[in-house]
Amino acid sequence: MSIVVTFAGRTPLPTAGSWYQIWSYRVQPSGPADLRPGQRIALALPSDVDLRDPALFPGVPALDGAFIEADPGSGRQYAGRTVTSTGPLVLSFVAPPTESDRDLLLVTRTPGQPWTVTPFATTAGGPTGPVRVLTAPVPGPVRTGRPVGEFAGTLPYASELFGVYQPLPGWLGYSGAGRLAALHGPRPGPAAFAGPAARSLESPELAALARFAGQDPPTEGILSPVGLVNLFRQYFFEFDTFLGAPAGHLWLSPGGMVELVETTTRRTLVERTASQSEETTRRSEETLTDQSDVADAVKESNANDTSLGATVSAGGSFAGVYHADASASFATKSTTGKSSELTHKHTRTQSSKVSSEIRRNFTTTFKTVTETTDTSSRRYVVQNTTDRLANYELRRKMRKVGVQVQHIGTRMSWQVFVNAPGRVLGLGEFVDVVPAPDLTSLRKPEPPEPLTPILTTFTGTFPIQEHPDSTNAPHNDADWRRQDGFDRMWRGEEDEYIVADFDYGAIPPAPGFTLSTNPDFVQFVSAKNGHGTDAKFLVRYVIQRPDTGRFQVRADNVHFGGTATITFTLQLRWEPPAVDPAQVAYEAALRQYEKDVAALQRKAYAAAVRDRTTLLSKVRPRPAEELRKEERHSVFAHLLEQLRLFDPRDAHLEAELIRQIFDVDEMLYFVSPEFWRPGDVSGPAGPDSLGRYPVPPARWEGSDGDPLAGETVPTAYSRTSSHNGPDAKGPDPAKEWRVDYLITADSQPAPMGSSLGWLVQTDGDERRNEFLNSAWVKAVLPIRPGHEREALGWLTKAGVEGEAALGRPYTWQEGDPDTYRGKSIGEVLELLAAELAASNTSVPRTLAGEQVFETGFDPLAGGFRPAEPYQVFDQWVEVLPTDQVVAVEVAYDPKTGQQL
């Protein structure tokens, strides 16, 4: 007789959401000697089997006393327990549910002895041997959490709508085809697009369009006024969690304890490393998102993707509509299938990208501290209470999020091009008051007083002096008169004369002053004889040297009063110099002062421009929803202006008519680089080029007309600069001119379009800037459900899109309904409109689009299938990090260094 070991079965772990199961084997001894209390007994399984430590599942009775022991030398691991009685016992362990028949060994071990292989049988009375075949776990696929199928019925925690727009070629609408015809002659009027001749393109006015009939669908799709929007919804399901790669490592000596402070941060800046290839390929993705959930990140990505159609529907029905190629087939099944393939590629790429970004978003830093100073941090205390060295891996907790995509409907839409809708939108002007520079360090020179004539007094003596012609000494008590025709005076005697003219010199009152040349400005003040009494003194004055103050006194009648001299006093007028030296010095000092002021102002204004450039780049953009609403209003207003079906005073009637048929609130408009064409760029820039907003001159003084003149900035500055051409030679090389944009060391990266000379809205986003600079946008107005045939009838009117080419035969495509055979384009559109009207107003179809919210997750075999209408057609799983880290005890082989 021998020990009999039988497989008792597998049971699920009581832990909710676990993929592993409890494996049980019954051990029946043949007698009391086979099993002894204190002895250890175990099944030896290959080391490639994923056995879990029973200590990880406390509270499970079947695992009480169970152990797992690895034997790296033999390539086996032992799953067993310690014998407590001589009777039967059950060996239990935790392993994956995959099973197969495998060779197993039964081993026993007495304390202090090595493991010993014990022969056993698998049936009572059966053959005995050291190795027997039993049902046992086998290595299964590597799983991070439970299989997807186990989450059937899980309700989505978030959803996101997505769409694909496809033009339907064939119909040549007036709004698009009329412009094309105008390139080859006069633009046909609306009446030319109506009637039988227009339906067959036999009208002479549409001869230019007939050449495009039958060309590739993408060419005709540009001119077609109708298309289909296939709507899809992404669902996000919360699956289980698991532990990811280690984020850190700890080791503790016996009895040791360590306190950890976990600091979780979110990356918002790009880390530049030495790996140029990694930096180049990841740089555009690093700034994609700051979200921690894939659903939120997908919403943010759709809002930022400028290749998607923009809308502002409150329900988000058309948030993120991708523009696909024109569909040659009008069948809803064919267009849905093609749209599903494009949606599959876009959504899988998008969710992988944002999930990768979220994974790079989380960074956890651990530090060992002796005292806690940050009370807001998470604190962990890890203690080793064993008698051996303990190792712990710090592993991040990861989330599994399931994603499914479902087709939820098809809408027929009207597409029309609208010219320059951004011209009517105002810009936000950034207000930044630049203070005048501080000029206190400069001293402004004081202007000198203006030079004026100076009056001075001059005192001189007029002596009685014998003239050379006299023969007798003169009498000093006589009345002397000038003798006509002579320079002498006499008193009537022929032999007695005195000198009549004397020269005098006055000292100028200041340098540069000259004596007035007008003798009338010499004023007589007084004349006294030697006794101090008034004397007769009738004289005239002749200015001889104004610059030196020399003048001559010519006496006509004098009386000395018995004295030898007459003392006279005069008032002289001195004229200021023509050039004032003080004024010259002042003007020189003023010029230097103004030069210094200009230098300070230039530096101050340059600093102001630098600060403004930095501040402008950091202005927060307005909410995208508000910007899209404004753009939609502009597009709709321009659309009404283009149609002009009513008198301009009755434009509200036109707007109401359109709203009755089309869902204007869900209107899309595509504004992306392929729709942008510069309308006013005639060639390369030159020295006279200015750009959208050149740096204006500084204005340190206010303006009476505009109180904010010089204090606002409507858009980013531009500046025209030049550099040498690639083949520059000689002292005067050829120059290349460019209109540049300004950046600073602290400014944010310039927005899209800066190098293209775009007008940039300071508080706008990339979509708004493209909208402002677009020569046109393509507006897509979904038709209200149930109004498809009514809308087609309205669009075919002469004043709207007309009927051009609707009478041409429809080219039947593989997969189209047989009812499309032999029909014209207009007839097929009528059939399609009737089909969509019935489908979009069907209650069962509406409920099918909402079924996931009721029944939850339904696993999709294979992960993808071309979509049928209203079916789930795509499925995948994303792995996301959390901000939680778990300490897991691990052991390592001291010889190989491998983890046990």
Side-chain angles (χ1 to χ4, degrees), residues 468-487:
D469 295 338
S470 179
T471 57
N472 292 321
H475 293 74
N476 58 10
D477 57 351
D479 186 41
W480 297 89
R481 291 182 177 86
R482 174 177 290 272
Q483 188 177 10
D484 294 337
F486 296 94
D487 60 348

Side-chain angles (χ1 to χ4, degrees), residues 406-493:
Q406 179 188 17
H407 177 263
I408 61 172
T410 302
R411 300 279 292 277
M412 182 177 284
S413 303
W414 172 32
Q415 75 169 11
V416 59
F417 290 93
V418 177
N419 287 332
R423 296 289 179 87
V424 300
L425 296 180
L427 303 179
E429 294 197 24
F430 180 72
V431 179
D432 181 46
V433 179
V434 179
D438 184 8
L439 303 180
T440 56
S441 60
L442 302 179
R443 181 178 179 181
K444 185 175 182 179
E446 295 292 335
E449 292 292 335
L451 295 180
T452 60
I454 299 177
L455 300 178
T456 62
T457 58
F458 175 82
T459 301
T461 59
F462 191 90
I464 184 170
Q465 180 177 339
E466 183 178 355
H467 190 274
D469 295 338
S470 179
T471 57
N472 292 321
H475 293 74
N476 58 10
D477 57 351
D479 186 41
W480 297 89
R481 291 182 177 86
R482 174 177 290 272
Q483 188 177 10
D484 294 337
F486 296 94
D487 60 348
R488 60 191 183 189
M489 290 190 295
W490 64 330
R491 58 185 185 87
E493 299 293 335

Side-chain angles (χ1 to χ4, degrees), residues 297-317:
V298 167
K299 293 178 187 290
E300 180 181 350
S301 176
N302 285 342
N304 293 333
D305 191 347
T306 60
S307 66
L308 301 185
T311 183
V312 292
S313 171
S317 300

Side-chain angles (χ1 to χ4, degrees), residues 726-775:
D727 55 348
K729 297 178 180 179
D732 189 18
K735 298 290 185 180
E736 289 186 358
W737 294 85
R738 282 179 171 81
V739 177
D740 301 327
Y741 57 93
L742 304 184
I743 60 174
T744 70
D746 299 323
S747 62
Q748 299 294 326
M752 166 65 185
S754 297
S755 296
L756 299 174
W758 281 11
L759 179 67
V760 175
Q761 181 169 327
T762 303
D763 59 347
D765 55 12
E766 187 173 341
R767 281 183 179 271
R768 168 56 62 87
N769 293 334
E770 289 188 343
F771 190 86
L772 290 174
N773 293 275
S774 292

Side-chain angles (χ1 to χ4, degrees), residues 163-168 218 221 228 230 307 321-327 335 338-340 342-343 415 670 674-675 778:
V164 176
Y165 172 73
Q166 293 177 286
L168 297 179
L228 294 180
N230 280 287
S307 66
V321 177
Y322 187 82
H323 195 295
D325 293 337
S327 173
T335 57
K338 293 181 179 179
S339 298
S340 67
L342 188 143
T343 299
Q415 75 169 11
F670 290 92
E674 59 265 28
F675 290 108
K778 176 162 45 174

Side-chain angles (χ1 to χ4, degrees), residues 117-461:
V117 178
T118 301
F120 69 100
T122 57
T123 59
T128 302
V131 179
R132 308 304 299 166
V133 177
L134 280 173
T135 300
V138 295
V142 177
R143 297 183 182 273
T144 52
R146 291 185 292 161
V148 173
E150 296 188 19
F151 298 97
T154 301
L155 295 178
Y157 71 88
S159 64
E160 172 74 1
L161 280 167
F162 187 81
V164 176
Y165 172 73
Q166 293 177 286
L168 297 179
W171 186 0
L172 304 181
Y174 172 71
S175 61
R179 300 183 187 187
L180 180 61
L183 298 177
H184 304 275
R187 178 171 181 172
F193 283 79
R199 295 178 64 87
S200 60
L201 290 183
E202 295 177 354
S203 171
E205 296 180 87
L206 303 182
L209 298 179
R211 295 198 300 270
F212 290 91
Q215 289 192 8
D216 295 339
T219 303
E220 292 188 347
I222 300 173
L223 308 178
S224 174
V226 293
L228 294 180
V229 175
N230 280 287
L231 300 177
F232 305 93
R233 181 182 285 124
Q234 284 181 271
Y235 301 97
F236 301 91
F237 304 91
E238 187 70 49
F239 291 169
D240 56 351
T241 60
F242 63 94
L243 298 183
H249 182 270
L250 289 176
W251 64 268
L252 292 176
S253 59
M257 181 180 68
V258 65
E259 182 182 86
L260 298 178
V261 176
E262 178 189 1
T263 304
T264 303
T265 59
R266 177 78 51 81
R267 283 187 186 271
T268 56
L269 298 177
V270 179
E271 271 195 352
R272 300 192 178 274
T273 65
S275 176
Q276 290 295 323
S277 59
E278 179 178 350
E279 179 180 344
T280 301
T281 56
R282 293 179 56 183
R283 180 176 57 189
S284 61
E285 308 298 337
E286 292 291 346
T287 57
L288 174 64
T289 180
D290 59 359
Q291 304 292 341
S292 60
D293 190 88
V294 66
D296 296 332
V298 167
K299 293 178 187 290
E300 180 181 350
S301 176
N302 285 342
N304 293 333
D305 191 347
T306 60
S307 66
L308 301 185
T311 183
V312 292
S313 171
S317 300
F318 284 81
V321 177
Y322 187 82
H323 195 295
D325 293 337
S327 173
S329 173
F330 286 14
T332 56
K333 182 177 180 181
S334 298
T335 57
T336 301
K338 293 181 179 179
S339 298
S340 67
E341 295 176 7
L342 188 143
T343 299
H344 166 75
K345 296 175 183 178
H346 178 81
T347 54
R348 288 297 300 270
T349 302
Q350 180 190 51
S351 67
S352 298
K353 183 171 61 175
V354 299
S355 298
S356 175
E357 172 62 22
I358 291 172
R359 283 192 287 272
R360 295 196 298 270
N361 233 5
F362 283 96
T363 301
T364 299
T365 303
F366 290 92
K367 53 184 179 182
T368 304
V369 298
T370 55
E371 68 178 81
T372 302
T373 59
D374 186 358
T375 57
S376 64
S377 300
R378 293 182 180 179
R379 300 170 57 241
Y380 303 93
V381 176
V382 183
Q383 185 174 8
N384 182 10
T385 58
T386 67
D387 57 354
R388 56 183 174 81
L389 182 69
N391 291 278
Y392 295 90
E393 282 186 345
L394 305 173
R395 305 178 67 182
R396 184 174 298 283
K397 190 175 181 180
M398 311 293 286
R399 293 171 55 207
K400 278 175 56 177
V401 175
V403 184
Q404 282 190 336
V405 184
Q406 179 188 17
H407 177 263
I408 61 172
T410 302
R411 300 279 292 277
M412 182 177 284
S413 303
W414 172 32
Q415 75 169 11
V416 59
F417 290 93
V418 177
N419 287 332
R423 296 289 179 87
V424 300
L425 296 180
L427 303 179
E429 294 197 24
F430 180 72
V431 179
D432 181 46
V433 179
V434 179
D438 184 8
L439 303 180
T440 56
S441 60
L442 302 179
R443 181 178 179 181
K444 185 175 182 179
E446 295 292 335
E449 292 292 335
L451 295 180
T452 60
I454 299 177
L455 300 178
T456 62
T457 58
F458 175 82
T459 301
T461 59

